[in-house]
């Protein structure tokens, strides 16, 4: 047998196999497309619940071909002042090898906004599509894809919005898995007055399910180079520089835990630096069923004080723990304020409060705070510089004001001042049934009297 004949025979067999596979995956794609639309609508309904908006995919049509299928659908968005329908068109390329990206998959779908008389206003000047997605479904039915969006749009009611973003995802059919987003620029302008602008936002998440369908667990990281907000009503410009956010949510034995870490390098008001911010801690042992009940409340029930009070009692009765590792305001002179806080509720929390036994309500109650004088003076001076009525106050005058208040608070045992630092410490000693307040022991009765005197003083 000649090699050429064998080669032709192999090519014919492979071609027939591919054609058969393409026909089969095309048939599967038709069913999976219908399932995907149904799942997407369920997910959209959950995502926009209690927002006042309704978003759904409707009029989905798939025109099945041999190697690919044409698809189209409408994205309907409804709200109090919004009623939009955006048409999408695209093509589903059948496996086993998809012709658009040559991936080994069931199918690969490429869809984008259809340019019509109604949608052309959403297209940027560079002609890029306002929303394009490329999605691939593997034989294990994992979903991978990329999303591209470029928008420059002005509505009839004088709202201008513009952004450019890229994203990618690797998820299962329920939406759990990994995703990333990269937004170069985002801007929102209302009536040529109020502005919101975000520069270089990068985010990534890796989430998985919990026993509750509307609660996920996993890690989310976000970094923003700059966020600017201008409010014309009071002519205020707020700028946050170099924001980093980390959130971790986990579920164990029916309870949720949240770890958070927020950092802002600099907060500016009207182009004047105010402070930097660090906020890190955890909220643990939160009853998942109670949180889920809150998620499932509709708008009417969410305003029902009785229901909210009952959920609150359920959460508090299960001994949640608030642990703030660091709350810090800083500037180039040092730490204007630094605090560490830990509250752990006891099983008898509600009953203890009802019986006015405050100490019995906590298993742990601890606050440590410190301030460096020079940095505190700088913080107060920065705040004074923003207010027109205090802009002319000199640094020496600010320092005198700060010293006066620190001395007054030290006199009343609210602070201990030593050298260049002011400190505040509170620690509950459960065994002694005493509260150490700046190293001075106080009984429950002493605390009650102090609170009463404070209230009368106001």
């Amino acid at each position: 047998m000649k090699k050429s004949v064998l080669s032709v025979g192999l090519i014919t067999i492979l071609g027939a196999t591919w054609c058969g596979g393409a026909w089969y995956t095309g048939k599967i794609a038709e069913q999976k497309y219908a399932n995907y639309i149904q799942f997407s609508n369920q997910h959209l309904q959950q995502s926009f619940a209690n927002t006042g908006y309704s978003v759904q995919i409707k009029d989905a049509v798939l025109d099945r071909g041999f190697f690919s299928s044409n698809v189209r659908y409408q994205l309907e968005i409804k709200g109090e002042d919004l009623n939009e329908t955006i048409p999408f068109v695209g093509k589903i390329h059948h496996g086993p090898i998809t012709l658009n990206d040559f991936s080994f998959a069931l199918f690969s779908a490429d869809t984008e906004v259809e340019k019509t008389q109604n949608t052309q206003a959403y297209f940027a000047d560079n002609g890029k599509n306002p929303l394009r997605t490329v999605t691939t479904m593997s034989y294990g039915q994992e979903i991978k894809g990329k999303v591209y969006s470029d928008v420059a749009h002005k509505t009839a009611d004088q709202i201008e919005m513009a952004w450019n973003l890229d994203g990618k995802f690797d998820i299962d059919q329920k939406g759990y898995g990994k995703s990333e987003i990269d937004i170069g620029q985002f801007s929102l302008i209302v009536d040529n007055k109020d502005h919101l602008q975000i520069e270089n936002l990068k985010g990534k998440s890796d989430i998985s399910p919990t026993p509750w369908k509307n609660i996920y667990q996993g890690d989310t990281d976000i970094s923003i180079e700059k966020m600017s907000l201008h409010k014309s009503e009071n002519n205020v410009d707020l700028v946050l520089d170099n924001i980093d956010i980390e959130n971790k949510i986990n579920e164990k034995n029916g309870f949720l835990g949240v770890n958070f870490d927020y950092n802002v390098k600099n907060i500016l008001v009207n182009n004047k630096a105010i402070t930097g911010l660090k906020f890190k801690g955890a909220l643990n042992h939160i009853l998942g069923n109670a949180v889920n009940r809150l998620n499932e409340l509709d708008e009417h029930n969410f305003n029902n004080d009785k229901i909210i009070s009952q959920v609150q009692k359920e959460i508090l009765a299960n001994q949640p723990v608030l642990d703030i590792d660091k709350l810090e305001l800083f500037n180039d002179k040092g730490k204007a304020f630094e605090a560490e806080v830990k509250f752990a509720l006891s099983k008898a929390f509600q009953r203890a409060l009802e019986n006015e036994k405050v100490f019995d309500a906590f298993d742990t109650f601890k606050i440590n705070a410190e301030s460096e004088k020079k940095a505190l003076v700088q913080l107060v001076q920065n705040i004074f510089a923003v207010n027109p009525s205090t802009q002319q106050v000199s640094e020496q005058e600010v320092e005198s004001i700060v010293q006066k208040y620190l001395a007054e608070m030290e006199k009343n045992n609210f602070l201990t001042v030593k050298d260049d630092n002011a400190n505040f410490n509170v620690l509950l000693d459960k065994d002694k049934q005493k509260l150490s307040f700046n190293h001075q022991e106080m009984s429950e009765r002493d605390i009650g009297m102090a609170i009463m005197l404070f209230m009368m003083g106001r």
Side-chain angles (χ1 to χ4, degrees), residues 4-60:
S4 59
V5 175
L6 179 60
S7 299
V8 170
L10 285 172
I11 292 171
T12 303
I13 291 170
L14 289 172
T17 302
W18 180 37
C19 290
W23 175 85
Y24 175 70
T25 54
K27 190 174 180 64
I28 292 176
E30 189 171 16
Q31 180 59 47
K32 290 296 180 184
Y33 180 70
N35 294 343
Y36 181 72
I37 295 296
Q38 183 180 9
F39 161 73
S40 296
N41 278 332
Q42 291 173 351
H43 191 67
L44 287 169
Q45 183 180 4
Q46 293 169 7
S47 298
F48 287 89
N50 300 319
T51 65
Y53 290 91
S54 168
V55 182
Q56 67 170 329
I57 298 171
K58 56 182 292 188
D59 300 332

Side-chain angles (χ1 to χ4, degrees), residues 311-320 345-347 349-350:
V311 173
Q312 177 182 298
K313 285 181 179 179
E314 289 179 19
I315 292 174
L316 295 178
N318 283 274
Q319 298 178 269
L345 304 189
S346 70
K347 288 183 178 180
F349 178 78
Q350 293 286 352

Side-chain angles (χ1 to χ4, degrees), residues 231-375:
K231 290 291 291 181
S232 61
E233 184 177 355
N234 44 15
N235 197 30
V236 170
D237 286 293
L238 173 66
V239 175
L240 306 181
D241 272 337
N242 294 314
I243 306 167
D244 288 300
I245 299 172
E246 294 181 16
N247 279 319
K248 300 179 186 294
I249 302 173
N250 62 81
E251 182 275 332
K252 185 177 181 181
N253 299 326
F255 289 89
L256 296 170
V258 181
N259 289 75
F260 53 86
D261 189 354
Y262 304 148
N263 290 277
V264 183
K265 186 176 181 181
N266 207 357
I267 300 173
L268 300 94
V269 177
N270 296 340
N271 294 320
K272 294 180 174 63
I274 303 297
T275 185
L277 171 67
K278 294 181 181 179
F279 187 37
K280 181 179 181 181
L283 184 59
N284 289 315
H285 214 256
I286 309 300
L287 185 65
N289 282 333
V291 177
N292 190 55
R293 283 183 62 196
L294 285 177
N295 280 342
E296 292 180 341
L297 293 179
D298 57 28
E299 186 175 351
H300 172 72
N301 288 328
F302 206 80
N303 294 320
N304 188 316
D305 292 339
K306 186 176 180 180
I307 294 176
I308 298 298
S309 178
Q310 180 58 40
V311 173
Q312 177 182 298
K313 285 181 179 179
E314 289 179 19
I315 292 174
L316 295 178
N318 283 274
Q319 298 178 269
V321 177
L322 173 64
D323 195 347
I324 298 176
D325 296 324
K326 179 173 289 188
L327 173 56
E328 182 181 314
L329 303 176
F330 63 91
N331 51 53
D332 55 2
K333 298 289 180 66
K335 298 174 183 177
F337 178 80
E338 182 180 27
E340 174 192 3
V341 177
K342 184 166 185 177
F343 299 147
L345 304 189
S346 70
K347 288 183 178 180
F349 178 78
Q350 293 286 352
R351 188 170 66 254
L353 291 185
E354 290 168 3
N355 296 326
E356 298 183 356
K357 297 289 185 181
V358 179
F359 289 176
D360 291 338
F362 297 91
D363 283 341
T364 304
F365 190 103
K366 180 175 72 173
I367 304 174
N368 291 318
E370 183 177 354
S371 179
E372 297 176 8
K373 285 185 184 179
K374 290 182 180 179

Side-chain angles (χ1 to χ4, degrees), residues 186-205:
F186 173 89
S187 66
L188 179 67
I189 304 172
V190 180
D191 293 331
N192 278 328
K193 295 178 180 178
D194 297 335
H195 303 243
L196 172 64
Q197 186 166 337
I198 296 173
E199 299 177 19
N200 293 327
L201 182 152
K202 298 181 186 295
K204 60 181 180 179
S205 66

